[in-house]
Structures are given as structure tokens and as C-alpha cells.
């Protein structure tokens, strides 16, 4: 079993401060909406963005601070909640990654509003390179026929020469 834990400093600056700012922005938007109705369009747009950020952070658990990888499951911990996925139950596992910054967006099974979507930066976790490689290899194992997997295998064969 491997446990990857996000750096507290990174978690505070990348997740908690923007979420707290969004809570303040949502409160300000609601206040301005009632006091100055002529700014309702701007307040609604800013309020929707703030509400989306607050929802993803505090309710959906989309920003994990701990990831556990075991032989038969993977679990994501965020804000005191856990989302657990056994490998045999995963039918859909898609990763959108940035190779240079190590940012990752993962969708598991049928991602709904409350579960199955995760955003994180692998460099923020202890042993982030191993986490990044494991997640991308897991996608290739679950979807070996995808174009991404086929292209990755061809590149690795060319590099291996």
C-alpha cells in the first residue's frame, strides 16, 4: 500500500485560500444583489463561479489531500471524506494531464456532481513522480485500446531503440 499526502503549504495556497475567497465572493455577491439590483447580471455570474468553486472544494471532494493506492483499490481523501474505488469496479478511468506541470484531472466511472472527479497537482504530493506515473499507467491498463494508450506505447517503443 502506498500513501501519498499533499504538502500542507500547497494545499493551503492552492485549495483552501481560493475556496475561502470564493465563500467571501459568494457572500459579497448575495449582499450586492440585494442592495444594488442593477448589478444583478455581474453578481449572478460571479456568484455562480464562486458557488461552483465552493461546491467542488467542500461538498464534492474534488481536490484530494491524500491518495491511497493499494493492491485492489484506490482512494481519494478530501476534507474529511473518502471516495473509494476497487479496481474491479472501475469501468471508466480517464486522465487529462499536463506532463510539465503534473496537473491532473481524473474522471472515474460515471462522474456525477458529488463524486468521481478529481483535480490535483502530482508535484504537491510526496513522491509525486511515482504518483503521476501510476495514475497515467492505470489509465493505460484500464483502457488499453484508447488512442492515448496506443500512442504512448508507440512512443515508448521508439524511445527504447
Amino acid at each position: 500500500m502506498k500513501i501519498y499526502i499533499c504538502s500542507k503549504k500547497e494545499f493551503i495556497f492552492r485549495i483552501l485560500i481560493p475556496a475561502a475567497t470564493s465563500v467571501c465572493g459568494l457572500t459579497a455577491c448575495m449582499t450586492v444583489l440585494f442592495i444594488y439590483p442593477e448589478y444583478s447580471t455581474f453578481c449572478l455570474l460571479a456568484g455562480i463561479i464562486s458557488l461552483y468553486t465552493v461546491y467542488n472544494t467542500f461538498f464534492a471532494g474534488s481536490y484530494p489531500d491524500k491518495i491511497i493506492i493499494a493492491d485492489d483499490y484506490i482512494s481519494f481523501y478530501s476534507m474529511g471524506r473518502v471516495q473509494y474505488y476497487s479496481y474491479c469496479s472501475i469501468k471508466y478511468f480517464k486522465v487529462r494531464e499536463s506532463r510539465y506541470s503534473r496537473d491532473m484531472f481524473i474522471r472515474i466511472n460515471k462522474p456525477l456532481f458529488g463524486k468521481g472527479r478529481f483535480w490535483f497537482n502530482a508535484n504537491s504530493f510526496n513522491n509525486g513522480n511515482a504518483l503521476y506515473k501510476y495514475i497515467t499507467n492505470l489509465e493505460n491498463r484500464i483502457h488499453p485500446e484508447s488512442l492515448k494508450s496506443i500512442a504512448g506505447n508507440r512512443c515508448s517503443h521508439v524511445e527504447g531503440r
Side-chain angles (χ1 to χ4, degrees), residues 24-151:
C24 294
L26 185 60
T27 305
C29 285
M30 291 189 311
T31 304
V32 169
L33 186 63
F34 288 115
I35 296 174
Y36 302 104
E38 61 270 14
Y39 296 114
S40 62
T41 303
F42 172 75
C43 288
L44 288 174
L45 290 175
I48 289 170
I49 293 168
S50 296
L51 183 63
Y52 181 73
T53 301
V54 168
Y55 175 78
N56 278 331
T57 303
F58 297 112
F59 299 108
S62 296
Y63 303 104
D65 57 348
K66 181 166 72 168
I67 299 172
I68 295 179
I69 297 174
D71 293 336
D72 55 344
Y73 70 89
I74 184 169
S75 58
F76 299 87
Y77 292 77
S78 179
M79 299 292 175
R81 298 175 58 208
V82 63
Q83 293 185 42
Y84 167 89
Y85 299 93
S86 64
Y87 294 127
C88 62
S89 69
I90 296 176
K91 304 295 182 222
Y92 181 85
F93 190 90
K94 292 294 182 175
V95 179
R96 190 175 297 164
E97 79 273 0
S98 170
R99 292 178 190 240
Y100 299 108
S101 67
R102 304 285 192 207
D103 286 325
M104 303 182 94
F105 172 55
I106 300 173
R107 292 166 295 170
I108 301 175
N109 289 340
K110 291 185 180 182
L112 300 172
F113 289 112
K115 62 185 274 186
R117 299 176 307 133
F118 304 99
W119 288 272
F120 63 89
N121 183 300
N123 288 339
S124 298
F125 288 79
N126 63 314
N127 204 1
N129 287 334
L131 174 63
Y132 178 83
K133 287 177 185 175
Y134 184 84
I135 295 289
T136 54
N137 288 337
L138 181 61
E139 178 186 25
N140 292 336
R141 280 186 295 174
I142 293 174
H143 301 292
E145 300 296 321
S146 71
L147 289 176
K148 189 176 179 182
S149 178
I150 293 169

Side-chain angles (χ1 to χ4, degrees), residues 2-39:
K2 294 183 182 178
I3 300 173
Y4 300 95
I5 298 175
C6 184
S7 159
K8 292 294 181 193
K9 181 179 174 184
E10 292 280 334
F11 191 74
I12 289 170
F13 283 103
R14 287 182 180 242
I15 308 302
L16 292 182
I17 290 176
T21 304
S22 293
V23 168
C24 294
L26 185 60
T27 305
C29 285
M30 291 189 311
T31 304
V32 169
L33 186 63
F34 288 115
I35 296 174
Y36 302 104
E38 61 270 14
Y39 296 114

